[in-house]
Amino acid sequence: MKFSRRLTAVGVIAIATLGLSACAQSGDADNSDDAKSQDPVVIQVASSSTPMTDVVLAAAEVIEDGYEVKLVETSGVFTPNVILNDGEVDANFIQHPPHMEDFNEGNNGTLAVVQPIYYVVGGFYAKDLKSLDDLADGAKVSIPNDSNQGRALGLLESEGLITLKKGVDKFDATVDDVEKNPKNLEFIAVELANANVSYDEADLTYLLASYARQLELFPDTDALATDQDDRFAVSLVAREDNVDSPEIEALKRAFTSEKVLETLESFDQPAAFTPAK
């Protein structure tokens, strides 16, 4: 099967169109039409970092006959949603459902989950601490400024460092919902794409496993505290207007293949699906 990788800058998508021309004799017209009818349907999938891009490429290797997957590699986690919502790509693979729902709410989006693919382990990491017990009074704590903020605060509450207001869903919590903060922690909300930078600047930083891996940090060996919830499964996402299309159905089958499962296992990512027999 064919696949290709394409790198784009934030908010800028360069689309290259390949044109084929030939001077054919009138007797070759039918043969030309037959060849054209056999061209695969190209499915463009936006993604932004490993292991998500690796999963897209693995799916591209096993997509069924008649289809071709093209990886559109972008920067960050916002651009893939914008270009999908605008119809510039067919699907993306960069997020869990709460992040997608936040995008839809804030941007009149019509994105829809096709299939959960793998569970994301989140955790707190620190350069100079061996335990959360060593966190100093007034320490700077870096947390995401998106839908992962509640998840990070919920983990801090479960570790006894803060208390959230009664009745607040920990996954929906924001800094304003922190009721008790005995260590006077200073919260710094950053974009997820900048979380790795804050690792060098803050005393404690919340990272998703894919970002931590870029710093050669791993949940099992380096995180001071971790969480994993089924709600936060990185998912294949399309739009409401194409989610049930034949090409997205074919893409879903490729994304839930043994090949993708093997790829996830190579990155120690827990799969959220069982491959079809």
Side-chain angles (χ1 to χ4, degrees), residues 66-272:
Y67 297 98
E68 174 186 340
V69 174
K70 178 172 289 186
L71 170 62
V72 180
E73 193 167 355
T74 69
S75 298
V77 295
F78 184 72
T79 299
N81 278 345
V82 172
I83 62 177
L84 175 57
N85 200 55
D86 289 346
E88 297 181 46
V89 296
D90 304 296
N92 71 30
F93 187 57
I94 53 101
Q95 65 201 316
H96 51 59
H99 186 273
M100 183 201 74
E101 292 161 5
D102 279 356
F103 174 85
N104 280 345
E105 183 177 349
N107 299 275
N108 294 316
T110 61
L111 305 188
V113 171
V114 177
Q115 171 70 44
I117 301 300
Y118 69 89
Y119 298 116
V120 177
V121 178
F124 277 103
Y125 298 79
K127 292 182 64 176
D128 302 317
L129 301 178
K130 293 184 177 180
S131 168
L132 290 179
D133 294 335
D134 300 328
L135 200 61
D137 187 85
K140 295 181 179 180
V141 179
S142 173
I143 58 176
N145 68 353
D146 58 17
S147 55
N148 292 289
Q149 184 167 128
R151 187 178 179 184
L153 292 172
L155 181 55
L156 288 177
E157 182 179 51
S158 69
E159 293 293 325
L161 291 171
I162 63 171
T163 301
L164 297 173
K165 293 177 181 177
K166 187 176 181 180
V168 173
D169 184 332
K170 67 177 182 179
F171 294 132
D172 295 327
T174 68
V175 173
D176 293 336
D177 294 313
V178 176
E179 185 172 66
K180 296 181 181 179
N181 183 8
K183 284 200 170 186
N184 300 305
L185 302 177
E186 179 184 346
F187 295 107
I188 304 169
V190 302
E191 291 186 8
L192 200 60
N194 296 327
N196 286 5
V197 176
S198 66
Y199 174 75
D200 288 323
E201 301 173 350
D203 299 300
L204 188 67
T205 303
Y206 185 87
L207 297 172
L208 299 182
S210 57
Y211 289 90
R213 185 175 288 103
Q214 295 172 15
L215 299 174
E216 298 186 352
L217 300 172
F218 301 91
D220 293 344
T221 56
D222 300 299
L224 302 182
T226 60
D227 64 10
Q228 179 180 313
D229 190 277
D230 291 356
R231 183 181 177 186
F232 298 96
V234 176
S235 301
L236 178 63
V237 170
R239 295 183 306 276
E240 292 176 1
D241 65 0
N242 75 342
V243 68
D244 295 320
S245 65
E247 56 266 33
I248 297 301
E249 289 294 329
L251 188 64
K252 177 180 176 180
R253 288 190 288 273
F255 263 75
T256 54
S257 63
E258 289 284 354
K259 179 67 176 180
V260 167
L261 181 62
E262 291 170 4
T263 300
L264 293 175
E265 290 174 345
S266 72
F267 284 98
D268 295 321
Q269 296 286 5

